[in-house]
């Protein structure tokens, strides 16, 4: 449930524009279209009205859902950022503002630093293999878990690799700073 809420917040502007409204139902439907790109048939199975499912789509909701995202959407809608930030973001990012804002709204990977006193990166990768971890591209001590599209972050704090001190949560940028200043 939390993943749905956070996904709606990440694309609130475009989801509301897609469904022409800001009710919780409209935001969820809009998010399923603009962020998760679910086919309308899949959404109709989810919104079936059965037992615990939401009520079926109305004809108007279906029509809004299947339409292409309008080309004429204002920049802040297309980029999912506050309207008041438009001028400043345009100065910083120029024509790539929409792409940059979409990148900022994506779920971040989970980066961890391997404690060299407790083991090696290869050991951490092996212990966390059920999450399909990757070595970080720049830090020689980093392990990265990519976010699942429709799930919350993995419960690393309950993993043996975390509990034993083999890994600690630390983004790759911070790992690189500690290495550069000789603190790692």
């Amino acid at each position: 449930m939390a993943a749905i809420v956070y996904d709606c917040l990440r694309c609130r502007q475009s989801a509301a524009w897609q469904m022409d409204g800001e009710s919780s139902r409209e935001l969820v439907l809009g998010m399923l279209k603009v962020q998760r790109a679910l086919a309308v048939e899949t959404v109709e199975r989810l919104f079936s009205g059965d037992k615990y499912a939401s009520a079926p789509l109305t004809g108007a909701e279906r029509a809004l859902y299947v339409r292409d995202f309008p080309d004429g959407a204002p920049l802040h809608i297309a980029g999912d950022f506050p309207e008041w930030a438009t001028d400043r973001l345009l100065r910083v990012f120029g024509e790539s503002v929409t792409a940059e804002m979409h990148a900022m709204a994506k779920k971040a990977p989970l980066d961890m630093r391997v404690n060299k006193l407790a083991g090696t990166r290869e050991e951490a990768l092996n212990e966390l293999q059920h999450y399909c971890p990757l070595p970080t591209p720049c830090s020689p001590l980093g392990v990265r878990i990519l976010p699942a599209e429709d799930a919350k972050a993995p419960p690393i704090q309950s993993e043996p690799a975390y509990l034993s001190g083999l890994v600690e949560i630390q983004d790759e940028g911070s790992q690189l700073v500690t290495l550069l200043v000789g603190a790692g």
Side-chain angles (χ1 to χ4, degrees):
M1 183 63 139
I4 292 171
V5 172
Y6 287 123
D7 284 351
C8 286
L9 291 173
R10 284 186 193 93
C11 68
R12 182 182 179 103
Q13 303 272 11
S14 59
W17 183 273
Q18 178 72 42
M19 296 306 296
D20 198 24
E22 294 190 16
S23 72
S24 55
R25 179 180 172 94
E26 290 163 330
L27 291 175
V28 169
L29 285 168
M31 177 274 296
L32 293 174
K33 168 70 179 216
V34 300
Q35 189 172 57
R36 296 194 184 172
L38 293 184
V40 70
E41 295 80 15
T42 302
V43 172
E44 287 174 326
R45 284 193 299 275
L46 294 172
F47 286 71
S48 65
D50 294 337
K51 202 166 184 175
Y52 300 110
S54 294
L57 298 182
T58 65
E61 286 173 332
R62 190 180 200 290
L64 288 168
Y65 190 89
V66 299
R67 72 179 177 157
D68 290 333
F69 190 79
D71 289 332
L75 195 56
H76 72 283
I77 300 289
D80 277 313
F81 58 84
E83 185 175 12
W84 58 262
T86 302
D87 290 340
R88 179 171 284 174
L89 290 171
L90 278 170
R91 281 194 304 274
V92 173
F93 297 113
E95 294 298 316
S96 65
V97 67
T98 301
E100 294 290 339
M101 293 300 98
H102 283 178
M104 295 274 294
K106 289 184 178 176
K107 294 177 187 175
L110 174 62
D111 287 348
M112 294 168 282
R113 178 182 51 81
V114 174
N115 177 352
K116 295 187 299 186
L117 300 174
T120 66
R121 177 156 71 174
E122 288 69 31
E123 290 171 330
L125 290 167
N126 285 333
E127 281 199 43
L128 297 167
Q129 68 184 349
H130 50 286
Y131 291 119
C132 303
L134 304 166
T136 52
C138 299
S139 171
L141 301 175
V143 173
R144 176 170 290 167
I145 297 175
L146 299 176
E149 182 61 35
D150 59 351
K152 59 184 178 179
I156 292 300
Q157 291 88 346
S158 63
E159 286 292 324
Y162 180 86
L163 295 171
S164 70
L166 176 59
V167 295
E168 295 178 354
I169 297 172
Q170 185 179 49
D171 68 90
E172 186 178 28
S174 297
Q175 293 175 40
L176 293 173
V177 169
T178 60
L179 292 169
L180 288 171
V181 299

